Amino acid sequence: MKKSTLAMLCLLMIIISTVFCLAGCKSRTDEMVDLETYTTKQMTKTKKQVIECINEQDKEGLKKLFSKDAQKRIEDLDGKLDQLIGAFNGNKIESAKGRSPAFEGSAQTQPLHIYGDYDLKLSNGEEYILFINICDIDDNHQENKGLFQLSLLTFSDEEIPEGFRRNTTVDDYGIFVYTLEEAQNQ
């Protein structure tokens, strides 16, 4: 009797352990799907705000999207915002198509950085490429939340010269505008 009770107890512990393990794996998968959905939603929101500010030529609105830390770190922020908005020559962004955003970090291992790149179609028919980098979650450093980098290529994917490299990393603070002429002379 003791042996059968002991065997039943061992079997019950194995079943309970298996259930907890499977539930743990499922929740991690669910967490990753949720994080991907979350980052897509946040980048879509930020992209819309950036495009609206560019189309409205709203330098102050665009400036407010940058984190407080980035506003302090970016040298001549106002001049760079003027350069970015000026690169559109008054043309409006009609569409912005991009890949799913990438992210680095998680809600548990902060900061959560989200990166997006978009092919822009302008009202004059030209195509540009816009890279948006944001810090979305950083509970210990709220001043880091917001945009920290915008990079604009004033040419399309098809026009990128062979060997062209942006001279920034994804974690650099700043606003960077690249023209085709500059890219060809690298």
Side-chain angles (χ1 to χ4, degrees):
M1 178 104 161
K2 285 184 179 183
K3 286 183 182 180
S4 63
T5 305
L6 188 57
M8 291 297 273
L9 187 58
C10 285
L11 183 58
L12 183 60
M13 287 178 62
I14 291 170
I15 291 171
I16 290 173
S17 296
T18 303
V19 168
F20 278 114
C21 286
L22 291 174
C25 292
K26 185 176 181 338
S27 67
R28 177 70 176 147
T29 302
D30 289 345
E31 181 182 314
M32 292 307 291
V33 169
D34 290 346
L35 187 56
E36 189 172 318
T37 301
Y38 174 81
T39 57
T40 300
K41 179 181 170 188
Q42 293 304 99
M43 184 53 76
T44 299
K45 175 182 152 189
T46 301
K47 173 191 71 166
K48 286 180 182 178
Q49 291 172 323
V50 168
I51 289 172
E52 182 178 306
C53 288
I54 291 170
N55 282 345
E56 304 278 326
Q57 297 184 8
D58 181 4
K59 180 172 92 173
E60 288 305 311
L62 193 53
K63 187 177 188 176
K64 288 178 185 174
L65 295 177
F66 278 87
S67 71
K68 288 180 172 94
D69 188 47
Q71 289 180 33
K72 292 176 192 171
R73 287 180 171 216
I74 300 172
E75 193 173 309
D76 189 23
L77 179 59
D78 287 323
K80 290 182 179 175
L81 287 166
D82 287 335
Q83 180 188 15
L84 176 75
I85 291 171
F88 290 89
N89 297 315
N91 294 296
K92 305 280 186 203
I93 300 170
E94 292 185 343
S95 68
K97 295 181 181 169
R99 296 179 275 278
S100 293
F103 57 90
E104 179 182 289
S106 72
Q108 291 77 30
T109 55
Q110 298 178 22
L112 173 63
H113 289 169
I114 306 173
Y115 311 100
D117 60 306
Y118 300 94
D119 295 320
L120 306 179
K121 179 89 171 178
L122 306 186
S123 57
N124 66 353
E126 290 185 28
E127 295 179 12
Y128 289 177
I129 303 168
L130 181 64
F131 299 90
I132 300 173
N133 300 353
I134 63 174
C135 176
D136 188 63
I137 300 173
D138 193 343
D139 291 340
N140 295 327
H141 302 96
Q142 291 295 317
E143 70 278 5
N144 292 341
K145 289 177 63 176
L147 276 171
F148 64 87
Q149 184 187 109
L150 285 177
S151 294
L152 178 68
L153 308 182
T154 60
F155 45 91
S156 68
D157 273 333
E158 293 78 29
E159 297 174 298
I160 294 176
E162 188 176 326
F164 170 72
R165 297 265 187 256
R166 292 186 295 148
N167 54 0
T168 60
T169 67
V170 293
D171 292 326
D172 286 342
Y173 285 73
I175 299 172
F176 308 95
V177 178
Y178 299 90
T179 64
L180 184 57
E181 295 77 30
E182 292 169 336
Q184 290 171 333
N185 292 328
Q186 273 191 349

